[in-house]
Amino acid sequence: MWSFCKPCTCPRKSIVVSSTTSTEQSGLFNYMLSIFKIKTGIEVKVVAVGTGQALDIGRRGDADVVFVHDKPAEEKFVEEGYSTKRYEVMYNDFILIDSKSDPAKVGGGKDIQAAFQKIAAAQAPFVSRGDKSGTHAAELRYWKGAGIPVAPSLSWYKERGSGMGPALNTASAMNGYILADRGTWLSFKNRGDLAILVQGDPKLFNQYGVMLVNPAKFPHVKKAQGQEFIDWLISKNGQEVIASYKIDGEQLFFPNAKK
């Protein structure tokens, strides 16, 4: 006589991570989270939005972990009590992209603020994510450092209010300048006539950090599983997995968790 096991009614282990479009659209999460699930049995559900929105999701207690790239905003998140500790995980860099025609003649330079000054002087089309993301925050810092006030009312400054991929599609369609993170650019297929024109400025350094949403504020936060995810990200194995993610042989993110 055949006997059958009862269907498992155990709750599945899972956490919600609010993160950036760059980690999702670059393909890193698809690569990394499958490995993490095999090792721990924990499923990670990602909400991929701009960094500002990701932090706001954490402030509402609608995520267990926040994984973003705007260090000043992350430190403020901790100061406000929405997390008790920020962990550095990895970095890459921002790059300035436009068509090879380069109407503002910024190509080959390394000074991002000088490039922005030339773009403004030429009133060349510039596509901004305009979504309060980490990339958008960095872009606004560079405009401020260049002494250029920007606003949607400027005919050449195009705010999209979208993630990195859709903004790159817009730049490709109109041959506009755009600031992008290197990870999303390397995974982006619709390049058209776009090319990297400015890179290598130390100000273009792009650090990512991760934080557990404070369970003292939000008791429903899955503290143990969220911390297990963070501990794995900054562990030797997690850091090796991040380093091993490549597209066409090129590494997208560089682990730098502090030991």
Side-chain angles (χ1 to χ4, degrees):
M1 186 174 184
W2 294 101
S3 62
F4 297 93
C5 296
K6 293 181 179 179
C8 178
T9 57
C10 302
R12 295 174 67 185
K13 293 197 296 181
S14 67
I15 57 171
V16 174
V17 174
S18 60
S19 189
T20 73
T21 60
S22 60
T23 44
E24 191 263 341
Q25 292 174 357
S26 66
L28 175 67
F29 273 148
N30 282 340
Y31 175 78
M32 180 175 69
L33 298 183
S34 59
I35 297 171
F36 175 71
K37 184 177 180 180
I38 290 169
K39 287 187 170 293
T40 65
I42 298 172
E43 181 180 357
V44 178
K45 300 174 181 177
V46 177
V47 181
V49 290
T51 284
Q53 293 172 279
L55 289 168
D56 285 342
I57 289 170
R59 287 188 177 94
R60 296 194 299 268
D62 291 335
D64 303 296
V65 174
V66 178
F67 188 2
V68 289
H69 63 138
D70 184 354
K71 188 172 181 177
E74 294 163 41
E75 290 173 338
K76 183 179 179 184
F77 188 82
V78 173
E79 289 169 6
E80 293 170 341
Y82 291 104
S83 179
T84 60
K85 187 172 182 179
R86 173 187 173 275
Y87 302 81
E88 295 197 341
V89 179
M90 62 190 188
Y91 70 91
N92 62 7
D93 63 339
F94 295 114
I95 47 182
L96 183 65
I97 294 164
D98 188 37
S99 67
K100 295 168 186 174
S101 61
D102 187 16
K105 307 303 178 190
V106 303
K110 287 191 176 182
D111 187 329
I112 186 63
Q113 291 175 180
F116 274 25
Q117 288 170 343
K118 290 180 180 179
I119 292 169
Q123 296 190 7
F126 184 96
V127 178
S128 171
R129 281 182 58 171
D131 62 349
K132 298 183 179 178
S133 61
T135 305
H136 183 215
E139 176 218 311
L140 293 178
R141 287 196 299 271
Y142 304 148
W143 285 120
K144 184 177 180 180
I148 308 295
V150 289
S153 57
L154 296 171
S155 61
W156 55 272
Y157 186 76
K158 313 293 185 180
E159 280 196 350
R160 305 314 300 166
S162 66
M164 195 73 257
L168 278 166
N169 279 324
T170 300
S172 178
M174 65 185 299
N175 284 329
Y177 290 93
I178 185 169
L179 184 77
D181 70 280
R182 191 180 293 272
T184 306
W185 169 250
L186 288 173
S187 63
F188 183 63
K189 304 303 181 186
N190 184 31
R191 295 187 180 183
D193 198 36
L194 296 179
I196 299 173
L197 297 181
V198 177
Q199 59 185 328
D201 188 331
K203 290 188 285 294
L204 293 170
F205 180 81
N206 181 28
Q207 178 70 52
Y208 287 78
V210 67
M211 300 168 288
L212 179 73
V213 176
N214 192 350
K217 271 187 177 292
F218 304 104
H220 60 272
V221 164
K222 296 175 182 176
K223 178 180 178 181
Q225 294 171 24
Q227 190 63 51
E228 188 172 354
F229 175 59
I230 291 171
D231 290 343
W232 180 79
L233 280 176
I234 64 175
S235 71
K236 183 174 185 290
N237 179 242
Q239 296 278 280
E240 288 173 347
V241 168
I242 291 168
S244 68
Y245 180 55
K246 298 178 181 180
I247 292 180
D248 296 331
E250 190 162 355
Q251 187 172 333
L252 276 71
F253 299 93
F254 297 83
N256 67 340
K258 295 178 179 177
K259 306 302 179 186

